[in-house]
mmCIF file of all heavy atoms in Angstrom:
data_model
loop_
_atom_site.group_PDB
_atom_site.id
_atom_site.type_symbol
_atom_site.label_atom_id
_atom_site.label_comp_id
_atom_site.label_asym_id
_atom_site.label_seq_id
_atom_site.Cartn_x
_atom_site.Cartn_y
_atom_site.Cartn_z
ATOM 1 N N ILE A 71 26.380 24.070 -4.336
ATOM 2 C CA ILE A 71 25.093 24.739 -4.504
ATOM 3 C C ILE A 71 24.439 24.207 -5.774
ATOM 4 O O ILE A 71 25.075 24.179 -6.835
ATOM 5 C CB ILE A 71 25.271 26.272 -4.602
ATOM 6 C CG1 ILE A 71 25.980 26.797 -3.347
ATOM 7 C CG2 ILE A 71 23.924 26.968 -4.809
ATOM 8 C CD1 ILE A 71 25.251 26.553 -2.050
ATOM 9 N N ILE A 72 23.196 23.794 -5.673
ATOM 10 C CA ILE A 72 22.547 23.135 -6.810
ATOM 11 C C ILE A 72 22.435 24.064 -8.017
ATOM 12 O O ILE A 72 22.582 23.635 -9.161
ATOM 13 C CB ILE A 72 21.167 22.568 -6.399
ATOM 14 C CG1 ILE A 72 20.633 21.641 -7.503
ATOM 15 C CG2 ILE A 72 20.177 23.664 -6.055
ATOM 16 C CD1 ILE A 72 19.480 20.763 -7.062
ATOM 17 N N GLU A 73 22.217 25.346 -7.785
ATOM 18 C CA GLU A 73 22.066 26.289 -8.893
ATOM 19 C C GLU A 73 23.383 26.559 -9.621
ATOM 20 O O GLU A 73 23.379 27.098 -10.736
ATOM 21 C CB GLU A 73 21.464 27.603 -8.390
ATOM 22 C CG GLU A 73 20.036 27.461 -7.911
ATOM 23 C CD GLU A 73 19.489 28.735 -7.291
ATOM 24 O OE1 GLU A 73 20.225 29.744 -7.249
ATOM 25 O OE2 GLU A 73 18.328 28.725 -6.847
ATOM 26 N N ASP A 74 24.501 26.157 -9.011
ATOM 27 C CA ASP A 74 25.812 26.323 -9.645
ATOM 28 C C ASP A 74 26.212 25.093 -10.457
ATOM 29 O O ASP A 74 27.281 25.081 -11.080
ATOM 30 C CB ASP A 74 26.893 26.583 -8.586
ATOM 31 C CG ASP A 74 26.711 27.924 -7.896
ATOM 32 O OD1 ASP A 74 26.035 28.793 -8.473
ATOM 33 O OD2 ASP A 74 27.228 28.087 -6.770
ATOM 34 N N CYS A 75 25.371 24.067 -10.443
ATOM 35 C CA CYS A 75 25.677 22.816 -11.136
ATOM 36 C C CYS A 75 24.857 22.679 -12.413
ATOM 37 O O CYS A 75 23.708 23.118 -12.475
ATOM 38 C CB CYS A 75 25.361 21.625 -10.235
ATOM 39 S SG CYS A 75 26.293 21.558 -8.696
ATOM 40 N N THR A 76 25.448 22.040 -13.420
ATOM 41 C CA THR A 76 24.668 21.653 -14.595
ATOM 42 C C THR A 76 23.936 20.349 -14.278
ATOM 43 O O THR A 76 24.289 19.642 -13.315
ATOM 44 C CB THR A 76 25.563 21.433 -15.817
ATOM 45 O OG1 THR A 76 26.422 20.302 -15.569
ATOM 46 C CG2 THR A 76 26.400 22.664 -16.123
ATOM 47 N N TYR A 77 22.965 20.021 -15.091
ATOM 48 C CA TYR A 77 22.231 18.774 -14.861
ATOM 49 C C TYR A 77 23.152 17.568 -14.992
ATOM 50 O O TYR A 77 23.055 16.620 -14.209
ATOM 51 C CB TYR A 77 21.055 18.667 -15.829
ATOM 52 C CG TYR A 77 20.307 17.361 -15.690
ATOM 53 C CD1 TYR A 77 19.682 17.026 -14.494
ATOM 54 C CD2 TYR A 77 20.257 16.445 -16.740
ATOM 55 C CE1 TYR A 77 19.014 15.825 -14.337
ATOM 56 C CE2 TYR A 77 19.594 15.244 -16.593
ATOM 57 C CZ TYR A 77 18.975 14.941 -15.396
ATOM 58 O OH TYR A 77 18.315 13.750 -15.252
ATOM 59 N N ASN A 78 24.080 17.590 -15.956
ATOM 60 C CA ASN A 78 25.014 16.469 -16.115
ATOM 61 C C ASN A 78 25.893 16.294 -14.890
ATOM 62 O O ASN A 78 26.235 15.166 -14.519
ATOM 63 C CB ASN A 78 25.879 16.660 -17.369
ATOM 64 C CG ASN A 78 25.129 16.310 -18.643
ATOM 65 O OD1 ASN A 78 24.157 15.563 -18.605
ATOM 66 N ND2 ASN A 78 25.578 16.864 -19.759
ATOM 67 N N GLU A 79 26.251 17.395 -14.232
ATOM 68 C CA GLU A 79 27.006 17.295 -12.973
ATOM 69 C C GLU A 79 26.177 16.596 -11.909
ATOM 70 O O GLU A 79 26.669 15.752 -11.161
ATOM 71 C CB GLU A 79 27.399 18.689 -12.479
ATOM 72 C CG GLU A 79 28.520 19.356 -13.237
ATOM 73 C CD GLU A 79 28.820 20.733 -12.665
ATOM 74 O OE1 GLU A 79 29.499 20.801 -11.622
ATOM 75 O OE2 GLU A 79 28.364 21.728 -13.244
ATOM 76 N N LEU A 80 24.903 16.954 -11.826
ATOM 77 C CA LEU A 80 24.023 16.367 -10.807
ATOM 78 C C LEU A 80 23.856 14.860 -10.987
ATOM 79 O O LEU A 80 23.633 14.126 -10.013
ATOM 80 C CB LEU A 80 22.651 17.049 -10.838
ATOM 81 C CG LEU A 80 22.627 18.538 -10.475
ATOM 82 C CD1 LEU A 80 21.207 19.073 -10.545
ATOM 83 C CD2 LEU A 80 23.223 18.786 -9.094
ATOM 84 N N LEU A 81 23.964 14.400 -12.219
ATOM 85 C CA LEU A 81 23.809 12.968 -12.490
ATOM 86 C C LEU A 81 24.938 12.132 -11.881
ATOM 87 O O LEU A 81 24.824 10.907 -11.779
ATOM 88 C CB LEU A 81 23.741 12.720 -13.996
ATOM 89 C CG LEU A 81 22.444 13.153 -14.694
ATOM 90 C CD1 LEU A 81 22.547 12.923 -16.189
ATOM 91 C CD2 LEU A 81 21.236 12.418 -14.118
ATOM 92 N N LYS A 82 26.002 12.773 -11.438
ATOM 93 C CA LYS A 82 27.106 12.056 -10.787
ATOM 94 C C LYS A 82 26.730 11.609 -9.379
ATOM 95 O O LYS A 82 27.375 10.727 -8.809
ATOM 96 C CB LYS A 82 28.342 12.955 -10.690
ATOM 97 C CG LYS A 82 28.911 13.407 -12.019
ATOM 98 C CD LYS A 82 30.069 14.376 -11.772
ATOM 99 C CE LYS A 82 30.603 14.958 -13.063
ATOM 100 N NZ LYS A 82 31.677 15.970 -12.797
ATOM 101 N N TYR A 83 25.704 12.246 -8.804
ATOM 102 C CA TYR A 83 25.404 12.044 -7.389
ATOM 103 C C TYR A 83 24.095 11.282 -7.188
ATOM 104 O O TYR A 83 23.157 11.409 -7.972
ATOM 105 C CB TYR A 83 25.327 13.398 -6.679
ATOM 106 C CG TYR A 83 26.496 14.292 -7.009
ATOM 107 C CD1 TYR A 83 26.313 15.538 -7.603
ATOM 108 C CD2 TYR A 83 27.805 13.877 -6.742
ATOM 109 C CE1 TYR A 83 27.395 16.349 -7.926
ATOM 110 C CE2 TYR A 83 28.886 14.678 -7.058
ATOM 111 C CZ TYR A 83 28.676 15.914 -7.651
ATOM 112 O OH TYR A 83 29.748 16.700 -7.975
ATOM 113 N N ASN A 84 24.073 10.509 -6.111
ATOM 114 C CA ASN A 84 22.889 9.739 -5.751
ATOM 115 C C ASN A 84 22.225 10.329 -4.517
ATOM 116 O O ASN A 84 22.865 11.023 -3.724
ATOM 117 C CB ASN A 84 23.268 8.279 -5.479
ATOM 118 C CG ASN A 84 23.721 7.553 -6.737
ATOM 119 O OD1 ASN A 84 23.867 8.163 -7.792
ATOM 120 N ND2 ASN A 84 23.948 6.270 -6.624
ATOM 121 N N LEU A 85 20.947 10.047 -4.360
ATOM 122 C CA LEU A 85 20.184 10.530 -3.215
ATOM 123 C C LEU A 85 20.375 9.595 -2.023
ATOM 124 O O LEU A 85 19.987 8.422 -2.074
ATOM 125 C CB LEU A 85 18.690 10.611 -3.571
ATOM 126 C CG LEU A 85 18.315 11.480 -4.782
ATOM 127 C CD1 LEU A 85 16.821 11.360 -5.074
ATOM 128 C CD2 LEU A 85 18.690 12.939 -4.540
ATOM 129 N N PHE A 86 20.994 10.093 -0.965
ATOM 130 C CA PHE A 86 21.190 9.324 0.281
ATOM 131 C C PHE A 86 21.796 7.944 0.035
ATOM 132 O O PHE A 86 21.325 6.946 0.604
ATOM 133 C CB PHE A 86 19.857 9.178 1.033
ATOM 134 C CG PHE A 86 19.332 10.459 1.599
ATOM 135 C CD1 PHE A 86 18.177 11.029 1.067
ATOM 136 C CD2 PHE A 86 19.962 11.106 2.642
ATOM 137 C CE1 PHE A 86 17.657 12.217 1.587
ATOM 138 C CE2 PHE A 86 19.462 12.293 3.163
ATOM 139 C CZ PHE A 86 18.307 12.845 2.629
#
Side-chain angles (χ1 to χ4, degrees):
I71 302 299
I72 192 165
E73 293 174 1
D74 293 339
C75 299
T76 65
Y77 177 62
N78 282 338
E79 286 180 79
L80 296 180
L81 288 177
K82 298 176 185 176
Y83 312 121
N84 292 7
L85 303 175
F86 292 111

